[in-house]
Amino acid sequence: MLQNYFKIALRNLLKNKTNTFINVTGLSIGMTCCILIVLYVADELNFDRFWPQGERIYRMALERKYPDRSTKYAIIPPSYAQSVSKEIPEIEQTVRVFNFNGQGATLIRHNDKTLEEKGFIFADSTFFQVFQIPLVEGTPTKVLSRPNTVVLTQRTARRLFGAANPIGKTLELVQGQKLEISGICADVPANGHFAFDFLASTVSLRQVEQLNHISFAAYTYLLLKPHTQAATVEAKLPKVVEKYAAGEVERNFGVSYKDYIKAGNGYFYFLQPIRDIHLDSNLEAEFQPNGNRTLVYLFSVIALFILLIACINFMNLATARSSERAREVGVRKAMGSTKGQLAAQFLTESVMLSVFSFLVSVGLVALFLPYFNNLANKQLTLRYFLDWSLLPVLPALAIFVGLLAGSYPAGVLSAFEPIKVLKGKFLSTRQGYLLRNGLVVFQFSISIILIIGTIIVYRQLQYLQDKELGFAKESVINLKGAGFLGNKTETFKREIEQLSGVESVGGANATLGDRQAYFGITFRKDGDNESVTGRGTLVDDRYLQTMRMTMLAGRPFERTFNDSTSVILNEEAVTKLGLTDPIGKKIISPDNFAQQDGPPVFYTVVGVVKNFHFSSLHERIVPLFVLNDRLVGRFNNDIIVRFKTTNSKPLVSQMETIWKRYQPDQPFHYSFLDTDLEALYKTEQVSQRIFGVFSLLAIFIACMGLLGLAIYVIQQRTKEIGVRKVLGASVISITALLSQDFIKLVLIAMLIASPIAWYAVDRWLQNFAYRIDIEWWVFVVAGVLSMGIAVLTVSFQSIKAALMNPVKSLKSE
């Protein structure tokens, strides 16, 4: 029986080649999209699932309340690891991890070469007890227990030392610190919210061992005892905070802890399950940019819809051609076939078609996976097909799609009454006609929603790139790692400034766009207890002029003035401090940069700069306090060079030559500021690309189904077309007649899709502090585009039918 099913199914598929081609193409593309998204989603959902005790590991994070706002941080004061371990018995172990260089590199001397290593972090000796990464060499409790020791991953050990055993050997950092290699651990999988190549001990580090419950520096992880609820631990944190932070608040801010809290300040700690960090956490000072659970779900829904559009093509074409198979059904039923046997026959056809489409889609996945990786900024490989969790899913997907696509046609065809169909009284029901039209409307509704989403994402990205930022981002080179120049910084900048093609040179401790590099700082007016917390940065005397920022009052920093305790405010800071005539006013900060734990510092306001966007446009402008770098001895992390030449390559080469003269052991790194700022919206760029590609695919699959329906309808109306031509109908009128029903369906789809698309894109735009307005013409463009594509698809067959010789049309059966 099964063999018979397969034979008949194969015969029918080969007989209707056009339908088979349309269905295979649509299902193959739909399954390809679905498989690629399944790989993407599986990778995202498996982040941090490899930690052996992952269900008990939590990161302790902070919501810092300020009088007028709050900010959530992934890093917390270092001393809390010990304090919570002491005060809360439900905590089994704690570990602190420090990433002092952020996204920057650590420079290491090895074999007379200077190497840049980005995966260099510090951790407590309890690290391997909490995370249980296998050690190839060393003991978990001892490898980080001594000062100046470091553990390498296996990959790093092989890269640096080859087959030799590196245990006991020394690594030298460029700044002079020497680290003994005390252990080798297994490589950390890439799908974790943090990874490393070098793990150095925190023992004896002054900035780590110092008592500190209010300044943020440490990623702090808690290993809870078995069966402990995170909420139980969270409920005990406020008392720990009050016990340990109160004294430090009074010493640093000069007010009692109760008054500090009453003024609107506060420290509210919470726990994050380590397995949820990648998709659900977007805090200040994250290890690296995390994913987005909403985006993962959105891509999943889009892939599902594209697959549904392909399934609908099969349903529509199968039910539309049901009259051609009615006699077959009638004969089979007359010969004794049951409804179940007929349904099985038709389901066999759909499953065979689906399985064949699946095999084609596997080949397409292998072909297009590199392009998808580039599109989605991933490193997915075909080895995911061998993952035990995905291995049964993909074949099951093929069978499920076949059953889904064939279920309705099988039900319709197997329900025909044999007496009626054998007498030739079978007619397509109105119910079937309405269902087919409804499915076409559904297809085009999804396509229009995707087109609208693509247009909105593109326009928002263009808005972000074109918006006035308060400074000139073009023609600016950012020289990174300038902090290594030390006391040679000023001489280096002056030499760069003398190069032909250089307009001006400035220095700062923070890169524009890197919000985390702008340190938190608190100020209050002299004689006022109300504090304002904002962001701070250190710049030199030429920075504001080099970036072409606008001074609204006062002056920028100047070399001829002693500006070590001068401050320039942005407009937001002036407003929050309540200064009506700020120039010359004294403001006080408890943050003493020149002397740690020193007394509060009085600063004189010398200027007001127009608000500028020093972070991404996801966030609103906050109070900014611009300090002079003389405060810390002319230290610049970044040197910015504004150039006036159209060809920057020779200039970059000249700057590299000068750099090598000053710092021969350190690599020369530069970037263009406008490129750096564009990279802030990488997630949105991925969304734009994926929306664009999926929109095209959805339209393509929907139009293939529309083409199949148009071919069928025209074949059914061949004689009608011949009669109309004999009676004098023109080609245009016949084309319009055949196209109008499909155009109506696209119009209905546009009316349904528009409000849904508006709601979806409005929710997405809420992620931005600065956003475009959703304008009416976007919906019109999406509708007209869909209409145009549909009309072109149908018109080709319509014109072909209208040009047919009426004599042949009237003779056709």
Side-chain angles (χ1 to χ4, degrees), residues 547-562:
M547 291 310 307
R548 296 180 182 171
M549 295 173 178
T550 304
M551 296 297 300
L552 300 178
R555 61 173 178 82
F557 297 132
E558 296 180 10
R559 295 173 185 171
T560 54
F561 288 86
N562 181 14

Side-chain angles (χ1 to χ4, degrees), residues 76-95:
I76 67 170
S79 298
Y80 273 114
Q82 183 179 356
S83 300
V84 296
S85 186
K86 178 182 177 182
E87 301 290 338
I88 303 176
E90 290 84 358
I91 297 174
E92 181 177 312
Q93 190 58 272
T94 63
V95 61

Side-chain angles (χ1 to χ4, degrees), residues 146 228 301 325 342 400 608:
R146 294 180 293 116
T228 299
V301 170
R325 304 194 65 177
L342 289 169
F400 172 75
V608 176

Side-chain angles (χ1 to χ4, degrees), residues 486-507:
N487 56 13
K488 303 175 185 176
T489 301
E490 287 303 303
T491 309
F492 176 81
K493 286 191 291 188
R494 299 292 77 81
E495 190 166 345
I496 294 291
E497 204 166 29
Q498 300 303 313
L499 292 176
S500 175
V502 171
E503 182 179 307
S504 60
V505 178

